[in-house]
Amino acid sequence: MGALRARRTAIDHRRERGSAHVIRGLSAGGAALALAAALSGCGIVERIVADGETPTPTPTAPIAPTPTGPDPVLAWECGQISALSGVAIRTNFEYQTGRIDEVEYVSRLAALQDAWVYMPTYDTEITPFIYDVQVQAAADPSGANQGYIDAINAATAACQEAGSLAVVTPLPEMGG
């Protein structure tokens, strides 16, 4: 039992000594990290500071990111066209194949009609095309009438011309 206790004491002593080295190492590293962080927030120091002088930081202006891709609002509008058109296609498909009944179909169409009519719109080059779709969806939210199909096709083409993506296509199980 005495040998086991002596062995544990030696292990504990090594652990304490090792952790002290780690703590001292972290203290030095932590100080260097704090100094680096402090200097990085001040901007670029233009000259080497002589002993006893306080450095004067030179602030740097943040660089604005360069936007890439379409306007985010326009992309949102085109995304809404894709999403709501997808719901119309799926709803019609599920009704025609018997996956949903008449009550579910009418309920989805009412929700889809509200989604189109009350969809927030902005002032982008796509917005007038959305208005046309909204008029058609208010009359027939199923998307089965030619006016709706023409308005969706025009809106999709306008999105693509503006550099955004609108996808209106049936899923593979629907023959798309």
Side-chain angles (χ1 to χ4, degrees):
M1 192 73 165
L4 181 59
R5 181 172 289 155
R7 187 175 199 187
R8 283 188 182 161
T9 303
I11 291 171
D12 291 341
H13 179 62
R14 272 189 245 135
R15 282 186 188 153
E16 289 172 10
R17 208 176 49 180
S19 63
H21 289 293
V22 171
I23 292 171
R24 276 191 294 248
L26 287 177
S27 297
L33 182 60
L35 179 60
L39 289 177
S40 69
C42 295
I44 300 170
V45 177
E46 292 183 4
R47 61 187 174 79
I48 297 176
V49 180
D51 289 340
E53 259 187 77
T54 305
T56 305
T58 304
T60 56
I63 298 172
T66 305
T68 57
D71 172 20
V73 174
L74 184 137
W76 182 88
E77 285 182 330
C78 291
Q80 287 298 103
I81 292 169
S82 297
L84 296 177
S85 297
V87 171
I89 291 168
R90 189 173 55 254
T91 297
N92 288 322
F93 173 76
E94 289 178 351
Y95 180 64
Q96 291 166 0
T97 58
R99 294 181 185 186
I100 60 173
D101 63 18
E102 181 85 21
V103 173
E104 290 170 308
Y105 180 69
V106 170
S107 176
R108 282 194 195 178
L109 289 183
L112 186 58
Q113 186 176 41
D114 283 348
W116 273 117
V117 171
Y118 297 111
M119 179 179 123
T121 55
Y122 301 92
D123 189 19
T124 69
E125 55 201 88
I126 305 303
T127 307
F129 294 96
I130 292 174
Y131 294 154
D132 292 342
V133 175
Q134 288 175 317
V135 168
Q136 295 300 320
D140 179 12
S142 72
N145 68 57
Q146 193 60 46
Y148 177 88
I149 293 167
D150 292 343
I152 284 292
N153 288 338
T156 300
C159 285
Q160 291 172 350
E161 187 175 312
S164 190
L165 183 63
V167 179
V168 180
T169 183
L171 297 172
E173 68 182 27
M174 299 174 193

